[in-house]
Amino acid sequence: MGLARKYKDLKIKVEKLLEVMAQLRNPEGGCPWDVQQSFATIAPYTIEEAYEVADAIEREHLEDLCDELGDLLFQVVFHAQMAKEAGAFTFDDVVAGIVAKMIRRHPHVFDPQGGLTGGAEAVVGAWEEHKKAERAAKAREGGLLGDVPRGLPALKRAAKLTKRAATVGFDWPEVSQVLAKLEEELGELREEMAGAGDPAEADAARERTADELGDVLFVLANLARHLRVDPEDALHRSNAKFVRRFGYIEGVLAARGQRLEEVDLATMDALWDEAKERLG
């Protein structure tokens, strides 16, 4: 009886959330801003909310995590409401779809006759096999790379693209070959930079330089995959390291009664080296 009551309460809360969203999107009496939105305009907010969830987790702040998860859920409801208005699908379809997918990908849990042995590694292997079968079906529609989300951060998407291509053998077998390709791309970038002196060619040169820099970043993402490192996480760590060390510079200067604008680069470089020694 207690469990049934909990499900009923949850259903009431979800239905209330859907009602709130529908009212916000109602052209008559709704919110003018919400009514004007589309999938494309809301997508950046969805990505932003996902990052705020990750930030709360990193800070180990569970109260904020609860709040951010609510914001992320609201994004799901927002997209579902717009899809309902377009006659494409509903929130119920979203829930039914993910329930079916999770059951399908976890036969070792939901199929008593098809138990899986071998622990977590075997589970990951089975999961990948299920995903591979699903991707094969999608590949017939949009190609092998067609379902790699375009909205992912560029470095993460690059790693996923190369990982997917590697499943059919399109990959360098050795890390040394990736490093050689990186050197090649750096050489091409240097060439473009060296030839960018003509003012009349400035815009075209900038475009070519951007292309070559993009190639360098793409190969770096591929290198990260070969090294079993998440490039997005690696850059995230470096960002945090930079903020930490730069904060040290600011703190030391403030203790001296100085501001960043009042000291030269050599002074800041010396403090940067000090920060590396003290903070890592």
Side-chain angles (χ1 to χ4, degrees), residues 1-10:
M1 186 66 179
L3 186 60
R5 178 64 183 176
K6 287 182 179 179
Y7 277 124
K8 184 178 179 180
D9 289 344
L10 177 60

Side-chain angles (χ1 to χ4, degrees), residues 146-186:
D147 68 329
V148 179
R150 297 184 181 185
L152 286 173
L155 278 176
K156 185 174 287 291
R157 186 165 191 259
K160 283 186 173 291
L161 288 170
T162 61
K163 181 180 180 181
R164 185 69 59 80
T167 63
V168 294
F170 193 73
D171 192 19
W172 288 289
E174 302 293 336
V175 175
S176 59
Q177 295 171 296
V178 187
L179 288 170
K181 184 62 177 177
L182 178 59
E183 290 295 335
E184 177 188 326
E185 295 295 351
L186 284 170

Side-chain angles (χ1 to χ4, degrees), residues 38-56:
S38 66
F39 294 113
T41 62
I42 290 299
Y45 295 101
T46 307
I47 295 169
E48 181 181 337
E49 295 298 350
Y51 276 118
E52 291 183 2
V53 166
D55 179 66

Side-chain angles (χ1 to χ4, degrees), residues 18 22 39 78-91:
L18 296 175
F39 294 113
F78 206 138
H79 286 287
Q81 175 63 30
M82 291 187 290
K84 180 180 179 180
E85 295 165 4
F89 58 83
T90 67
F91 181 77

Side-chain angles (χ1 to χ4, degrees), residues 189 192-194 196 204-215:
L189 175 60
E192 288 298 340
M193 292 171 62
R206 191 178 297 109
E207 285 294 318
R208 291 194 298 270
T209 301
D211 285 343
E212 295 301 339
L213 181 58
D215 290 344

Side-chain angles (χ1 to χ4, degrees), residues 50-279:
Y51 276 118
E52 291 183 2
V53 166
D55 179 66
I57 292 171
E58 183 175 345
R59 291 185 287 108
E60 298 183 350
H61 199 301
L62 295 185
E63 184 177 343
D64 282 357
L65 177 59
C66 179
D67 187 57
E68 298 300 345
L69 286 172
D71 290 344
L72 186 58
L73 175 59
F74 184 77
Q75 293 295 309
V76 175
V77 170
F78 206 138
H79 286 287
Q81 175 63 30
M82 291 187 290
K84 180 180 179 180
E85 295 165 4
F89 58 83
T90 67
F91 181 77
D92 285 351
D93 296 323
V94 173
V95 174
I98 190 60
V99 168
K101 182 185 290 184
M102 290 302 102
I103 291 175
R104 184 170 67 248
R105 290 184 177 179
H106 293 83
H108 54 291
V109 175
F110 298 103
D111 181 6
Q113 305 302 320
L116 180 68
T117 59
E121 290 185 6
V123 170
V124 172
W127 176 277
E128 289 298 332
E129 286 301 316
H130 283 289
K131 288 175 65 178
K132 186 185 295 184
E134 291 169 3
R135 285 198 299 265
K138 289 185 178 180
R140 290 192 287 272
E141 302 173 6
L144 183 66
L145 307 179
D147 68 329
V148 179
R150 297 184 181 185
L152 286 173
L155 278 176
K156 185 174 287 291
R157 186 165 191 259
K160 283 186 173 291
L161 288 170
T162 61
K163 181 180 180 181
R164 185 69 59 80
T167 63
V168 294
F170 193 73
D171 192 19
W172 288 289
E174 302 293 336
V175 175
S176 59
Q177 295 171 296
V178 187
L179 288 170
K181 184 62 177 177
L182 178 59
E183 290 295 335
E184 177 188 326
E185 295 295 351
L186 284 170
E188 293 178 4
L189 175 60
R190 293 188 189 98
E191 288 179 13
E192 288 298 340
M193 292 171 62
D198 185 355
E201 290 289 319
D203 290 341
R206 191 178 297 109
E207 285 294 318
R208 291 194 298 270
T209 301
D211 285 343
E212 295 301 339
L213 181 58
D215 290 344
V216 169
L217 292 171
F218 190 87
V219 176
L220 281 171
N222 203 352
L223 176 62
R225 181 180 60 83
H226 274 264
L227 297 175
R228 297 185 179 181
V229 171
D230 183 332
E232 201 71 30
D233 180 60
L235 185 55
H236 178 74
R237 291 177 181 219
S238 291
N239 287 342
K241 189 189 304 179
F242 182 87
V243 170
R244 188 167 63 247
R245 292 175 180 174
F246 197 82
Y248 178 86
I249 294 173
E250 289 180 299
V252 170
L253 290 177
R256 296 176 181 174
Q258 295 177 296
R259 296 188 304 165
L260 290 167
E261 298 84 352
E262 298 172 344
V263 299
D264 57 16
L265 179 59
T267 300
M268 288 190 281
D269 273 341
L271 288 173
W272 179 269
D273 290 338
E274 191 176 303
K276 287 176 64 176
E277 285 291 326
R278 296 194 176 191
L279 305 178

